[in-house]
């Protein structure tokens, strides 16, 4: 026969609020007299209500699904809380205080189409609280859609709505009250009227009826009576509240109201054990039934109940058929029983039909609730322990619900840990203590909270949930306890052991205080259940918990049941020390089999003798027919990876409405906490079961043949089943660790960096990254996982289970447990799902990720490479790049067979392993690039290159990475080698360009020039030329680099071309002195380079700017936006291509340009005029003029010579300067004025053949000397420079110097004579003519005249002549002036001299003719 394990797996799920709740406080003044009501004591009450599908549209997509209201009433305070398991509600806590008016039980909640009504009875008044219905709020929020949380119905609760006169009524306005109200019931009729029924301790029942909302009317108050006519008259005249207290056996202890066929009836269970039924319409008792009739074995005349609680009645509605039943709890001194009865209308009257009777334990009942198939009861034992039991239709006995165990004050502290750390972890573990408990405990623990440690903000410490993620507040709390320790130490020196004990004492004291306040707040006040959803909640004093339905419902055979009984026996004998030892050693890489072996010896083979446990287990093992099959069944059930058959294979098969409904299921923060607690409970239970099952297997092997275990069975258990059980234990250890580990908080900067890191990896959407900021309340990893991507994935998988009815209204009963199982399967390590470690990365939980990998590293063979990859991310996050690179390299082997690496990380359709491995390394390299670790990038890139095939298209990328980071690290040789090894020409060119630019920027020019550049020299030149022509000449100088590059390779001609181009650009683009200096240097370098070339090749092509010329392009290549040209007749003109000009530059041409630049530099140095340094270089003519004007005659002569210009300008200017100096100074006045001082300045710049400037001469003499040297050096046979000098001097009225006349005579006496005549110097002309005629006459005689450069004719037969024209002109001029005695005498002398010369010539001619 098969049995079920579901009867032992009911558990309570407790979720402690992490942060304080903000209550909206509303005070209602009822008008009752405080002095009258001060002695009235009313027991605390509580309850709850789940929303119904009032519109009939179904709950799967309704805003009221998984939404409920619960309340607590204590004295005059009513706390209302609305909670949703699907969404987070805003403003869902409201606290009403009915001033000095205690609240009765009987509060009820009723739904209408647009409103929700809460009816509240008090000892002096009744109230109707009206709120908007969630459906109405949902429509309003849909109209004004926002990203904020949905609003609660209590969000807009105000004092005005609570004190509306239409919604409240005083029971006795006069204020005189002698009878006290005991209990009440409330109801809303089908007409919308609010019906209040209140029972007094005098046996009376008061009925108050408020008109429906929006309907005019008055409040009706009546007393229900079943006595005689006179009694009815007396009751009508004197209200029960002022008649006085009269003990009556008919006093109602419990009331409910229900509508049957449109008429409202009141059901009361009274102290006389009778169930009375009243008509609210006629106010008459229509039925009185003695409940003792159901007690066939008891005396039918029991006295009335005198206990304070009395009998209790509750109604039960079956949601399937809306049938109505009553559940009455009857309490007697020696027993408790629950009677389920049903009112039946037959023969025009009502009858009570007995349905069932359930007997309860002999304890005090706190509360109970009934659903259509289950009965939940809450009891308090005589020792004060509370326990919850459940009874259902399919069981014949009570099943105890496992309530949350109380915290134990004694904590086992390992010897290697500090007590402070252990206690802080437990105190601030999520969900363990509320902030209010911590605040109370801290105030109670410290005798003076602000005395010894004034820097601790107590309220802030306790209001904020603290964990290892918030070390600041943990340190503050620690400081408070440490301060108390110091106070107890009394400033004396203590031994280490004594201080350790004192530390334990103080921390234990504080922890015990926290536990005490927690126990007070965790006291259960009541229950409420919902037959529709299956939700059962326990309302505690300061929190709300729920009852988890059976987590597993397995039908097991006899062998498996007996095996489970063995496991149960072992669990009963398992001590906490052994359990703690097992968890500690199993989490430290110890094999579970090795861990349980000493436990087996301690349990089964104690040193003192035989063990009863060994006997019992051995006997049961003998009864098992097939031990191996039973073990395999259990292990298969426990292995979550074997339970995949329930899921659909294709996501597309999931209906859209089904997916949408499940996607919004249990999405609120409270639901996430509940799911996390359920997950922890399930995993903890299964871990304990697996542990005990492993103990059983090891014990069975050790027991051996004593109990019939065959050797072949022992072998199978040892070799197959024990390793499988050990794997399950380690898997559940991981799940428990995930459920208990606290999230580590992170700063916003760390989170932002993590998001960027994941974006670079492309393994996680930013929408899936779960926030774990340091200022958020601390939660466990499982809860954060459920709040984010884990919960979404779990709901998606839940929608794929065909057996799940997403339209079912029993959401809590049917969906909670499957969702918990699904979440456990997602985290389960022995499967292909890798979502949980991805979540750890996405939420920046790298410390926990390291622990996750550590827990699985020694045994789990699933996703090994993926875990190594994530471990590498951890090391990278913690700045351990070497370890990270090692992990990444180890993980590379799994890219072909692990889903995470191949599909999530790589996201490629490639199936070849080597190509996938290269893509994987590229992803990893991107991570190291994010962390700026070039050395690791190089290492990984080389590893990838070694793994890649020669045809891999990513090989060029890898070599580019190697090149880039070698270059970044300054490894020039390695970078060059990586560039040369790059197989892709375009990438190689890109690397080459980057290499050249970087080396130039760093100044490593020697390395750049000396690289061989195999087959890349032309590219180098093109790149450098392009860079040189595109960058600013002021900041970068690539021309010098090009020059060095060509010189190093003996390419002098290109070197000369580069420097000439550089000089040209400097002249155009860089004005100023520095530009001219650099230009001159460039021209000199170009000249030097070209002089090293053979003369026939010492030329270059002059660079021409492309902007000066336009090249005609074809129609296909015509630039967009440029229209063709047209003639006057409109016809399109033909395009005429312009041939680009080519100009050859030889050495002489370059020298000419250099001469001009050098002359300009000298001008600027001589005259620092800004205009001289700006603009283009002047031409040769202009330059000569500028030089002459500045007194730079030497440089002017050089320029004129290079450009074949005459020196007239030079001589004229110098002659003029000489005249001015001669007129302005003399020999005895050297440097006595500004003119002479200036003359010395320019004289010092001209040293051509003049020797050193002598300061013992006057400036005029030095100038004349300079002029004389120039004439002697540059005068040619044409004597043009003598003529221009003589003309310049004579035009200024200055006599020709003697040395000038002598040299002029020697060169061209006739021309000098003409000059004299031109300037009317008749005397000088006559004297020169006379002297010259005499000299010629002497030459006829054979005498040499050196002064006129004449040789004797007889010696060399030299022909001589006289300037007869000039002499005739002179004679004519003298003849015209004969009236002057001087000119007359000169004329006569010249005339005679000419006559004698002519005679001599005639005579000699005759002599020659004779001979």
């Amino acid at each position: 026969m098969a049995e079920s394990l579901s009867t032992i797996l009911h558990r309570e799920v407790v979720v402690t609020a992490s942060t304080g709740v903000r209550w909206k406080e509303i005070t209602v003044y009822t008008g009752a007299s405080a002095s009258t009501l001060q002695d009235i004591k009313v027991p605390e009450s509580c309850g709850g209500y789940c929303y119904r599908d009032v519109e009939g549209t179904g709950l799967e997509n309704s805003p009221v699904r998984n939404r409920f209201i619960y309340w607590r009433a204590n004295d005059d305070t009513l706390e209302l809380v609305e909670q949703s398991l699907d969404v987070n509600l805003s403003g869902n806590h409201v606290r009403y205080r009915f001033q000095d008016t205690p609240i009765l039980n009987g509060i009820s909640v009723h739904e209408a189409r647009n409103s929700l009504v809460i009816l509240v009875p008090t000892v002096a008044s009744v109230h109707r609280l009206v709120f908007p219905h969630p459906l109405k709020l949902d429509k309003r929020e849909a109209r004004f859609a926002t990203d904020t949380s949905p609003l609660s119905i209590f969000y807009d609760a105000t004092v005005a709505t609570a004190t509306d006169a239409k919604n409240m009524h005083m029971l006795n306005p006069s204020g005189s009250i002698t009878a006290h109200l005991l209990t009440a019931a409330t109801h809303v009729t089908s007409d919308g009227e609010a019906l209040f029924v209140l029972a007094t301790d005098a046996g009376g029942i008061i009925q108050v009826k408020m008109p429906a909302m929006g309907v005019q009317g008055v409040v009706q108050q009546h007393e229900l009576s079943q006595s005689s006519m006179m009694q009815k008259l007396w009751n009508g005249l004197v209200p029960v509240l002022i008649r006085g207290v009269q003990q009556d056996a008919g006093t109602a202890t419990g009331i409910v109201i229900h509508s049957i066929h449109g008429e409202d009836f009141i059901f009361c269970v009274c102290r006389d054990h009778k169930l009375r039924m009243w008509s609210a319409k006629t106010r008459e008792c229509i039925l009185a039934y003695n409940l003792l009739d159901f007690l066939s074995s008891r005396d039918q005349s029991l006295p009335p109940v005198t206990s304070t609680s009395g009998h209790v009645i509750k109604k039960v509605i079956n949601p399937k058929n809306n049938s109505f039943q009553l559940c009455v709890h009857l309490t007697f001194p020696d027993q408790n029983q629950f009677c389920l009865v049903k009112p039946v209308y037959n023969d025009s009257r009502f009858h009570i039909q007995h349905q069932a009777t359930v007997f309860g334990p002999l304890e005090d009942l706190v509360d109970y609730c009934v659903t259509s198939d289950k009965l939940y009861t809450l009891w308090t034992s005589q020792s004060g322990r509370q326990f919850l039991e459940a009874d259902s239709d399919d069981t014949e006995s009570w099943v105890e619900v496992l309530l949350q165990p109380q915290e134990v004050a004694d904590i086992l502290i390992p010897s290697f840990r500090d007590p402070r750390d252990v206690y802080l972890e437990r105190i601030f573990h999520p969900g363990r203590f509320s902030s209010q408990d911590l605040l109370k405990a801290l105030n109670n623990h410290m005798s003076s909270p602000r005395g010894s440690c004034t820097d601790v903000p107590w309220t802030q410490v306790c209001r904020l949930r603290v964990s290892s993620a918030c070390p600041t507040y943990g340190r503050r709390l620690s400081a408070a306890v440490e301060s108390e320790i110091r106070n107890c130490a009394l400033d004396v020196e203590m031994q280490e052991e004594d201080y350790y004990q004192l530390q334990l004492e103080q921390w234990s004291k504080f922890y015990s205080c926290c536990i005490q306040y927690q126990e007070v707040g965790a006291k259960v006040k009541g229950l409420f259940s919902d037959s529709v959803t299956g939700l059962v909640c326990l309302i505690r004093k300061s929190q709300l918990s729920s009852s988890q339905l059976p987590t597993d419902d397995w039908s097991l055979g006899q062998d498996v049941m007996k095996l489970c009984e063995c496991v149960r026996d072992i669990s009963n004998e398992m001590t906490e020390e052994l359990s703690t030892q097992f968890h500690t050693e199993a989490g430290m890489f110890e094999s579970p089999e090795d861990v349980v072996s000493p436990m087996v010896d301690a349990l089964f083979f104690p040193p003192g003798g035989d063990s009863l446990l060994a006997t019992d287990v051995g006997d049961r093992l003998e009864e098992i027919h097939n031990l191996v099959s039973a073990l395999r069944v259990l292990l298969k059930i426990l292995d979550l990876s074997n339970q995949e058959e329930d899921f659909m294979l294709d996501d597309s098969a999931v209906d859209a409405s089904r997916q949408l409904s499940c996607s919004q299921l249990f999405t609120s923060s409270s639901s996430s906490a509940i799911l996390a607690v359920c997950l922890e409970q399930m995993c903890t239970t299964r871990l304990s079961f697996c542990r005990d099952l492993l103990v059983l297997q090891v014990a069975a092997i050790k027991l051996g043949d004593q109990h019939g275990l065959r050797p072949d069975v022992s072998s199978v258990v040892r070799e197959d089943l024990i390793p499988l059980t050990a794997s399950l234990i380690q898997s559940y250890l991981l799940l428990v660790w995930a459920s208990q580990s606290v999230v580590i908080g992170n700063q916003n900067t760390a989170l932002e960096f993590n998001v960027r890191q994941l974006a670079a990896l492309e393994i996680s959407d930013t929408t899936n990254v779960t926030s774990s900021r340091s200022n958020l309340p601390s939660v466990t990893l499982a809860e954060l996982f459920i709040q984010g991507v884990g919960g979404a994935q779990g709901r998606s998988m839940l929608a794929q289970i065909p057996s799940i009815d997403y339209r079912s209204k029993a959401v809590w009963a049917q969906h909670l447990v499957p969702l918990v199982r699904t979440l456990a399967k997602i985290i389960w390590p022995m499967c292909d799902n890798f979502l949980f470690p991805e979540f750890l990365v996405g939420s920046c939980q790298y410390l926990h990720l390291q622990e996750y990998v550590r827990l699985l590293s020694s045994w789990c063979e699933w996703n090994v490479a993926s875990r190594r990859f994530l471990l590498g991310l951890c090391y990278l996050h913690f700045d351990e790049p070497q370890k990270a690179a090692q992990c990444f390299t180890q993980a590379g082997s799994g890219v072909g067979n692990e889903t995470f690496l191949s599909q999530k990380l790589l996201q490629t359709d490639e199936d070849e392993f080597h190509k996938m491995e290269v893509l994987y390394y590229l992803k990893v390299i991107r991570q190291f690039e994010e962390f700026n670790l070039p050395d690791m990038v190089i290492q990984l890139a080389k590893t990838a290159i070694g793994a890649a095939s020669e045809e891999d298209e990513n090989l060029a990328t890898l070599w580019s990475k190697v090149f880039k980071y070698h270059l970044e690290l300054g490894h020039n040789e390695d970078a060059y080698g990586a560039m040369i090894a790059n197989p892709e020409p375009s990438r190689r060119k890109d690397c080459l360009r980057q290499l050249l630019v970087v080396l130039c920027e760093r100044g490593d020019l020697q390395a750049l020039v000396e690289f061989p550049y195999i087959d890349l020299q032309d590219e180098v030149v093109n790149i450098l030329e392009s860079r040189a022509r595109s960058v600013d000449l002021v900041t970068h100088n690539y021309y010098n680099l090009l020059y060095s590059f060509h010189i190093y390779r003996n390419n002098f001609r290109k070197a000369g071309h580069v420097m000439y181009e550089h000089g040209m650009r400097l002249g155009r683009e860089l004005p100023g002195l520095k530009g001219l200096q650099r230009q001159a240097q460039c021209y000199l370098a170009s000249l030097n380079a070209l002089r090293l070339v053979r003369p026939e090749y010492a030329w270059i092509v002059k660079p021409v700017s492309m902007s000066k010329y336009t090249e005609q392009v074809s129609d296909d290549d015509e630039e967009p936006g440029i229209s063709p040209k047209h003639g006057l007749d409109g016809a399109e003109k033909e395009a005429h291509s312009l041939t680009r000009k080519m100009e050859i530059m030889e050495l002489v041409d370059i020298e000419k340009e250099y001469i001009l630049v050098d002359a300009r530099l000298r001008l600027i140095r001589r005259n620092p005029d800004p205009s001289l340094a700006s603009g283009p270089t002047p031409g040769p003519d202009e330059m000569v003029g500028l030089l002459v004007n500045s007194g730079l005659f030497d440089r002017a002569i050089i320029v004129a010579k290079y450009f074949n210009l005459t020196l007239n300008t030079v001589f004229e200017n110098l002659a003029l300067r000489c005249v001015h100096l001669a007129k302005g100074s003399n020999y005895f006045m050297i440097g006595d004025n500004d003119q002479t001082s200036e003359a010395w300045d320019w004289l010092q710049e001209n040293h051509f053949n003049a020797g050193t400037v002598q300061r013992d001469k006057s400036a005029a003499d030095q100038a004349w000397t300079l002029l004389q040297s120039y004439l002697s050096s540059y005068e040619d046979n044409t004597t043009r420079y003598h003529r221009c000098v003589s003309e310049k001097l004579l035009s200024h009225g200055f006599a020709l110097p003697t040395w000038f006349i002598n040299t002029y005579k020697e060169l061209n006496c006739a021309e000098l004579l003409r000059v004299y005549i031109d300037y009317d110097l008749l005397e000088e002309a006559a004297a020169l003519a006379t002297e010259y005629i005499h000299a010629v006459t002497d030459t006829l005689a054979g005498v040499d005249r050196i002064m006129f450069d004449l040789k004797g004719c007889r010696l060399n037969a030299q022909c001589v002549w006289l300037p007869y024209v000039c002499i005739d002109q002179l004679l004519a001029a003298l003849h015209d002036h004969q009236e002057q005695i001087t000119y007359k005498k000169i004329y006569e002398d010249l005339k005679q001299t000419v006559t004698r010369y002519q005679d001599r010539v005639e005579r000699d001619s005759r002599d020659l003719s004779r001979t």
Side-chain angles (χ1 to χ4, degrees), residues 608-625:
D610 295 337
S611 171
L612 181 61
L613 177 63
T615 304
D616 294 340
V617 171
D619 294 341
R620 287 194 175 94
L621 288 176
E622 292 178 358
E623 298 175 1
I624 298 176
H625 298 87

Side-chain angles (χ1 to χ4, degrees), residues 834-1103:
F834 205 62
L835 187 63
F836 183 71
E838 287 184 53
F839 149 77
L840 294 178
V841 174
S843 55
C844 203
Q845 299 297 306
Y846 287 102
L847 280 176
H848 288 312
L849 181 58
Q850 281 184 303
E851 181 66 13
Y852 175 86
V853 176
R854 187 191 70 83
L855 291 174
L856 300 180
S857 59
S858 61
W859 63 273
C860 185
E861 298 179 355
W862 289 81
N863 300 312
V864 176
S866 300
R867 292 199 306 270
R868 298 302 296 175
F869 174 80
L870 296 188
L871 183 60
L873 290 181
C874 294
Y875 285 133
L876 199 58
H877 183 81
F878 294 121
D879 198 19
E880 295 184 82
Q882 295 290 345
K883 293 182 180 179
Q886 184 179 1
C887 290
F888 287 138
T889 304
Q890 294 172 354
S893 59
V895 295
N897 50 25
E898 293 191 11
T899 305
F900 169 76
L901 294 178
S902 59
Q903 297 181 8
K904 193 66 179 292
L905 178 64
L906 298 185
Q907 300 176 3
T908 179
D909 297 331
E910 188 63 57
D911 55 356
E912 186 177 345
F913 173 75
H914 291 295
K915 292 185 178 180
M916 295 176 66
E917 192 174 8
V918 171
L919 293 175
Y920 163 78
Y921 278 111
L922 287 174
K923 287 271 188 177
V924 173
I925 286 172
R926 192 177 304 172
Q927 282 297 293
F928 283 95
E929 289 177 331
E930 286 288 330
F931 283 86
N932 193 22
L933 297 169
D935 50 344
M936 293 295 99
V937 173
I938 295 171
Q939 176 183 337
L940 291 171
K942 289 183 177 179
T943 304
I945 291 171
S949 60
E950 295 181 358
E951 297 80 14
D952 198 313
E953 58 185 7
N954 294 306
L955 199 59
T957 303
L958 292 172
W959 277 116
S960 298
K961 298 284 186 184
V962 175
F963 162 80
K964 175 184 177 181
Y965 290 103
H966 269 313
L967 186 62
E968 183 178 318
L969 293 173
H971 305 161
N972 298 336
E973 295 289 341
D974 296 329
Y976 174 78
M979 177 192 69
I980 296 299
N982 200 315
E984 187 175 334
S986 60
R987 290 288 186 93
R988 193 163 56 243
K989 292 179 182 179
D990 294 338
C991 294
L992 175 62
R993 181 178 293 103
Q994 188 176 359
L995 175 67
L996 297 177
V997 173
V998 171
L999 291 182
C1000 289
E1001 293 176 352
R1002 291 178 182 169
D1004 296 338
L1005 303 181
Q1006 183 175 358
L1008 188 151
V1009 171
E1010 293 178 354
F1011 283 139
Y1013 299 108
I1014 303 172
D1015 297 332
L1016 292 175
Q1017 291 190 14
D1018 293 339
E1019 292 294 335
V1020 173
V1021 174
N1022 292 336
I1023 292 171
L1024 292 179
E1025 285 182 350
S1026 176
R1027 296 287 297 180
R1029 293 165 181 168
S1030 60
V1031 299
D1032 188 5
L1033 294 175
V1034 178
T1035 56
H1036 299 82
N1037 192 349
Y1038 286 93
Y1039 285 104
N1040 290 349
L1041 177 60
L1042 270 170
Y1043 176 76
S1044 302
F1045 182 85
H1046 291 308
I1047 291 295
Y1048 184 78
R1049 287 161 178 76
N1050 297 327
N1051 196 341
F1052 303 113
R1053 184 175 174 185
K1054 287 188 177 181
H1057 179 273
V1058 167
M1059 296 312 292
Y1060 177 75
E1061 181 180 341
H1062 187 198
M1064 285 185 59
R1065 285 194 59 196
L1066 287 171
R1068 291 194 302 265
E1069 302 174 15
L1070 191 62
L1073 178 61
K1074 292 184 179 180
L1076 291 173
Q1077 290 173 346
R1078 290 175 58 184
Q1079 186 180 14
Q1081 294 172 357
C1082 291
Y1083 284 153
L1084 285 175
S1086 178
L1087 291 172
N1088 293 336
L1090 290 176
R1091 287 193 176 99
L1092 297 175
V1093 184
R1094 293 174 57 182
E1096 59 268 25
Y1097 298 110
W1099 56 270
I1100 61 174
V1101 177
K1102 184 177 182 179

